[in-house]
């Protein structure tokens, strides 16, 4: 089922990652080029063990700053949105829920804020995920969700993430030509940061409400990209994505899509990850041959 023994399984210290219909474990990163690594959740398609010779596409998902750990056993916060939310909803759908959703609390640090004492209309984590999206992601991809601990600093470290990918490729049957990176907010920045560090490693980049240095856009012009951002985002202005989109096109990018949501603030990821066309697009893509690889 795997090329070698899996990295150590870690007890997340909470029940929110528990599944019955899809493998979803929490591991400790053991291979890192830095003094620290990221613990990470892994989902394997239910057919993974039944097709031992098959290599699977992989989604590496990078969460936002609000989903980071700052307290003991807070990795549950990284499960509230995006790809891990889809995996957990898939498990509920397979268990009989027709409109699967999750109910995972925010990190403890938010409980001291006044907004945490009443429903937050901007928090769409409990919004259901369609069975169509659940099935596409959970059954067609291996997914990796590292959980960032703020004691190691703010922001995703592309060196550590590269080491994590090396570890995953040594452990699981991954199609190295079909590795996809996506994330939102801090994870949107992380998506571009990792892509810029190793631009010949990825099939697609999907940054949501993120940004990057537009002067470096030419390094990833050969990688298919789908950018998402809310027009009225007060946290990360849409100008961050606009600048990268323009820089990519000016550099002669092979394929760039840019979806702008006119009436959306910071949470542009719930709608983006609810779109089955995003995952069909990923399934169609393979790592392009850049000038450096040709």
């Amino acid at each position: 089922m795997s090329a070698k023994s899996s990295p150590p399984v870690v007890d997340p210290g909470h029940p929110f990652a528990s599944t019955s219909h899809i493998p979803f474990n929490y591991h400790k990163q053991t291979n890192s080029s830095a003094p620290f690594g990221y613990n990470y959740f892994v989902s394997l398609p239910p057919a993974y063990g039944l097709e031992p010779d098959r290599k699977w596409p992989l989604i590496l998902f990078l969460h936002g700053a609000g989903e980071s750990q700052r307290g003991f056993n807070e990795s549950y916060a990284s499960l509230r949105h995006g790809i891990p939310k889809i995996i957990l909803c898939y498990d509920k759908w397979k268990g009989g829920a027709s409109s699967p959703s999750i109910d995972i609390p925010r990190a403890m640090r938010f409980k001291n804020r006044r907004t945490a004492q009443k429903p937050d209309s901007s928090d769409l984590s409990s919004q259901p995920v369609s069975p169509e999206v659940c099935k596409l992601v959970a059954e067609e991809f291996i997914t990796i969700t590292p959980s960032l601990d703020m004691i190691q600093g703010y922001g995703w470290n592309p060196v550590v993430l590269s080491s994590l990918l090396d570890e995953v490729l040594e452990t699981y049957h991954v199609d190295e030509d079909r590795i996809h990176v996506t994330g939102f907010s801090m994870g949107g920045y992380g998506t571009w940061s990792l892509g810029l560090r190793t631009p010949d490693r990825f099939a697609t980049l999907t940054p949501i409400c993120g940004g990057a240095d537009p002067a470096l856009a030419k390094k990833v012009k050969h990688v298919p990209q789908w950018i998402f951002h809310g027009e009225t985002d007060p946290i990360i202005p849409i100008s961050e994505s606009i600048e990268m989109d323009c820089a990519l096109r000016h550099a002669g990018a092979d394929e760039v899509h840019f979806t702008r949501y006119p009436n959306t603030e910071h949470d542009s990821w719930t709608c983006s990850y609810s779109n089955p066309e995003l995952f069909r697009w990923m399934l169609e893509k393979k790592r392009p041959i850049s000038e450096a690889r040709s």
Side-chain angles (χ1 to χ4, degrees):
M1 184 172 177
S2 62
K4 67 173 188 177
S5 298
S6 297
V9 175
V10 180
D11 181 358
H14 58 76
F16 299 106
S18 177
T19 56
S20 300
H21 306 284
I22 185 171
F24 193 51
N25 291 318
Y26 193 45
H27 295 280
K28 179 179 178 63
Q29 182 176 350
T30 58
N31 175 12
S32 180
S33 300
F36 67 92
Y38 300 123
N39 289 353
Y40 57 101
F41 293 94
V42 179
S43 77
L44 299 175
Y48 181 86
L50 304 177
E51 302 179 48
D53 296 327
R54 178 175 175 181
K55 291 194 173 183
W56 297 82
L58 179 143
I59 297 176
L60 173 66
F61 168 74
L62 306 177
H63 61 70
E67 291 68 48
S68 303
Q69 301 187 58
R70 291 188 189 178
F72 187 62
N73 289 339
E74 276 192 348
S75 66
Y76 60 83
S78 64
L79 304 176
R80 301 180 71 249
H81 298 284
I83 301 303
K85 172 186 170 180
I86 294 171
I87 297 301
L88 294 175
C89 285
Y90 172 84
D91 189 66
K92 293 195 172 186
W93 173 62
K94 293 294 285 187
S98 59
S99 184
S101 62
I102 60 170
D103 182 15
I104 299 177
R106 303 181 77 178
M108 289 294 292
R109 62 186 180 276
F110 291 108
K111 292 192 174 181
N112 295 325
R113 299 187 180 183
R114 184 171 61 181
T115 56
Q117 308 304 317
K118 59 182 180 180
D120 183 356
S121 60
S122 67
D123 180 10
L124 304 179
S125 63
S126 62
Q127 183 170 308
V129 179
S130 73
E132 180 182 18
V133 169
C134 289
K135 186 177 173 66
L136 268 171
V137 175
E139 296 186 357
E140 298 295 336
F141 297 90
I142 295 172
T143 76
I144 306 293
T145 299
S147 182
L148 186 149
D149 193 325
M150 286 291 193
I151 66 170
Q152 297 154 353
Y154 178 90
W156 290 103
N157 186 313
V159 175
V160 179
L161 289 172
S162 294
S163 296
L164 174 58
L165 274 175
D166 292 339
E167 181 172 296
V168 168
L169 293 179
E170 291 173 359
T171 305
Y172 301 103
H173 293 294
V174 175
D175 184 340
E176 295 190 36
D177 288 325
R178 303 174 75 193
I179 299 174
H180 309 270
V181 187
T182 185
F184 65 83
S185 196
M186 181 183 74
Y189 283 93
T191 296
W192 263 321
S193 178
L194 181 58
L196 289 166
R197 176 176 173 77
T198 53
D200 298 321
R201 191 168 203 177
F202 304 114
T204 69
L205 301 174
T206 303
I208 300 175
C209 57
D213 183 351
L216 302 176
K218 63 183 179 181
K219 293 182 65 176
V220 289
K221 68 178 185 178
H222 61 287
V223 184
Q225 297 174 59
W226 197 337
I227 305 166
F228 295 86
H229 215 125
E231 295 271 9
T232 58
D233 191 331
I235 308 298
I236 300 174
I238 194 173
S239 59
E240 294 280 300
S241 288
I242 291 173
E243 289 179 359
M244 272 300 286
D245 175 62
C246 291
L248 286 163
R249 296 177 191 276
H250 182 73
D254 294 330
E255 181 180 352
V256 181
H257 307 277
F258 189 7
T259 297
R260 301 167 61 156
Y261 300 108
N263 301 310
T264 299
E265 295 190 352
H266 192 45
D267 185 349
S268 50
W269 55 85
T270 296
C271 187
S272 302
Y273 290 128
S274 296
N275 182 0
E277 294 307 314
L278 171 61
F279 303 108
R280 292 195 184 98
W281 174 75
M282 289 183 183
L283 285 171
E284 292 173 355
K285 300 302 177 184
K286 291 189 175 183
R287 174 172 52 166
I289 297 177
S290 71
E291 294 176 2
R293 290 179 62 210
S294 59

